[in-house]
């Protein structure tokens, strides 16, 4: 059975009941895999695609298979010789290649990590990996266009391969607990969700793509699929046109705007808002979101294990009400050591759940479909900003709104 690094208990990204079920499924998967291989000592073969200087290895994705008893890191590929040598040392891969096509042809891995942060090669890498028979772990954002995502998902369905996208916060134990509590009426009726990005030097379009997808993934997790989007996207005070499209600082596709406000309509009258405005950064505080309920509200500060606060209605004092945000007392991670909040532990939760989904032949919690839907919300903001009217979701146009 796999381990979760510094987590307080293995599979810390799952509730106890789901973890037990997933653990049994993974154990069964290992037994089935080993029985079907020629040698009883055979392991699942994993490979890692990176590209030093061109997205690198994302958020330590060269380490996601390291130390797992039933996984052999067969190979790593990187066109950069020095970067490749470093990745081999870090991942303890048995072999290395400059070209991922050659690696896939020779190694035929069961599991493939597509690690670069830059997305310009995600589609080609994913299609090649699926055609080689691998299940995929993909750094976010999933792709550069919805058309690319659609093609990858169709290929995965055809080949019955499972894809996960590195939206680690969805599997944090306190997020799972908050969702369960919300479904049990803890917040009352969920009325609105307000989210904002980091709003740093990337404020606007790049913040929307790089960090907005994490927020949109959690919006969908709590509220379901959005129905439409409206947005005002400004570049230095004027509403954007296609002429404002520019390359991002990383190769994640074109971006536009440095001041974004957007609104999404979810089922049952629920509204969701997103903002990324450089001048709003100090007032907004750390990036995250608020879930506004009829009974109380919750605030999620985005980290690998998010910090969760609750606002209880206070007593009236004159014309003011004494409301105060406090740590959520039901948060199962409140007493976790900082080591348990690490990136390694968050990545391990995604891998554990991915392996369980493979064993159970089901869509992973952080699956490719969810990754595409979160990315679609970002594309809808650009589309609505350009159109200056609301756009329906799913988007009919699957190419990038800022493309020619």
């Amino acid at each position: 059975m796999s381990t979760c690094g510094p987590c307080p208990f293995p599979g810390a990204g799952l509730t106890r009941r789901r973890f037990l079920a997933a653990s049994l499924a993974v154990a069964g998967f290992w037994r089935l895999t080993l029985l079907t291989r020629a040698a009883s000592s055979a392991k699942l073969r994993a490979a890692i695609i990176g590209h030093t200087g061109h997205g690198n290895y994302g958020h330590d994705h060269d380490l996601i298979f390291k130390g797992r008893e039933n996984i052999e890191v067969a190979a790593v590929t990187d066109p950069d010789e020095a970067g490749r040598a470093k990745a081999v040392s870090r991942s303890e891969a048995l072999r290395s290649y400059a070209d991922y096509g050659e690696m896939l042809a020779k190694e035929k891995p069961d599991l493939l990590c597509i690690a670069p942060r830059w997305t310009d090669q995600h589609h080609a890498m994913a299609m090649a990996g699926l055609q080689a028979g691998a299940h995929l772990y993909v750094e976010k954002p999933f792709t550069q266009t919805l058309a690319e995502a659609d093609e990858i998902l169709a290929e995965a369905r055809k080949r019955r391969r499972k894809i996960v996208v590195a939206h680690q916060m969805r599997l944090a134990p306190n997020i799972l607990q908050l969702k369960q509590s919300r479904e049990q009426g803890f917040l009352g009726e969920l009325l609105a969700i307000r989210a904002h990005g980091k709003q740093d030097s990337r404020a606007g379009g790049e913040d929307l793509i790089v960090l907005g997808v994490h927020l949109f993934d959690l919006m969908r997790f709590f509220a379901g699929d959005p129905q439409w989007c409206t947005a005002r996207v400004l570049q230095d005070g004027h509403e954007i046109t296609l002429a404002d499209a520019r390359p991002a600082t990383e190769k994640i596709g074109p971006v536009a705007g440095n001041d974004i406000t957007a609104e999404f309509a979810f089922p049952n009258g629920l509204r969701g808002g997103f903002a990324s405005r450089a001048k709003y950064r100090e007032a907004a505080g750390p990036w995250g979101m608020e879930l506004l309920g009829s009974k109380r509200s919750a605030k999620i500060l985005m980290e690998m294990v998010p910090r969760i606060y609750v606002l209880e209605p206070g007593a009236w004092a004159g014309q003011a009400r004494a409301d105060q945000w406090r740590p959520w007392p039901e948060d199962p991670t409140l007493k976790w050591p900082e080591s348990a909040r690490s990136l390694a532990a968050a990545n391990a939760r995604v891998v554990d759940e991915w392996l369980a989904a493979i064993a159970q032949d089901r869509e992973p919690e952080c699956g490719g479909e969810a990754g595409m839907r979160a990315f679609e919300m970002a594309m809808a903001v650009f589309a609505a900003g350009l159109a200056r009217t609301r756009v329906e979701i799913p988007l009919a146009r699957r190419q990038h709104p800022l493309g020619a």
Side-chain angles (χ1 to χ4, degrees), residues 315-350:
W316 283 94
Q319 298 299 310
R321 202 170 70 177
D323 296 337
Q324 186 174 356
W325 289 103
R326 301 180 186 276
W328 182 36
E330 300 303 315
D331 185 341
T333 72
L334 275 179
K335 296 183 179 180
W336 277 19
E338 287 303 311
S339 61
R341 297 178 174 275
S342 69
L343 178 59
N347 287 340
R349 284 188 285 271
V350 177

Side-chain angles (χ1 to χ4, degrees), residues 61-144:
H61 295 321
D62 51 334
L63 302 178
I64 65 170
F65 301 120
K66 189 173 181 177
R68 290 176 174 268
E69 295 177 4
N70 295 290
I71 297 178
E72 172 185 272
V73 184
V76 64
T77 178
D78 187 332
D80 182 87
E81 184 175 358
R84 185 165 69 248
K86 183 178 178 180
V88 168
S89 176
R90 279 169 53 88
S91 66
E92 299 180 355
L94 299 178
R95 289 167 292 280
S96 68
Y97 298 81
D99 179 76
Y100 69 81
E102 179 186 2
M103 181 270 290
L104 291 171
K106 290 183 177 179
E107 301 290 347
K108 295 182 171 53
D110 303 300
L111 308 171
L112 177 66
C113 175
I114 297 173
R117 284 169 53 94
W118 296 6
T119 58
D120 58 326
Q121 298 179 81
H122 278 195
H123 173 262
M125 291 171 175
M127 293 298 289
L130 291 169
Q131 289 161 7
H135 300 277
L136 306 183
Y137 179 113
V138 185
E139 169 65 306
K140 63 82 194 168
F142 186 26
T143 53
Q144 282 207 359

Side-chain angles (χ1 to χ4, degrees), residues 159-233:
R159 296 178 182 274
R160 299 188 68 177
R161 301 296 89 181
K162 307 304 177 187
I163 301 173
V164 290
V165 178
H167 288 150
Q168 300 95 331
M169 283 165 267
R170 175 187 277 246
L171 287 177
N174 52 359
I175 293 295
L176 294 173
Q177 181 67 38
L178 182 60
K179 183 180 182 184
Q180 183 178 16
S181 296
R182 172 258 196 272
E183 291 169 349
Q184 294 170 347
F186 172 67
L187 301 177
E189 182 183 356
L190 186 56
L191 304 174
I193 302 176
R194 296 192 302 225
H196 61 270
K198 282 192 175 181
Q199 304 176 122
D200 52 16
S201 60
R202 300 167 293 180
E206 191 158 352
D207 195 16
L208 172 74
I209 300 298
V210 175
L211 298 164
V213 291
H214 275 303
L215 295 164
F216 298 149
D217 184 59
L218 287 191
M219 277 191 182
R220 290 188 61 256
F221 194 54
F222 285 105
D225 284 321
Q227 299 166 327
W228 50 261
C229 171
T230 61
R232 191 179 193 203
V233 183

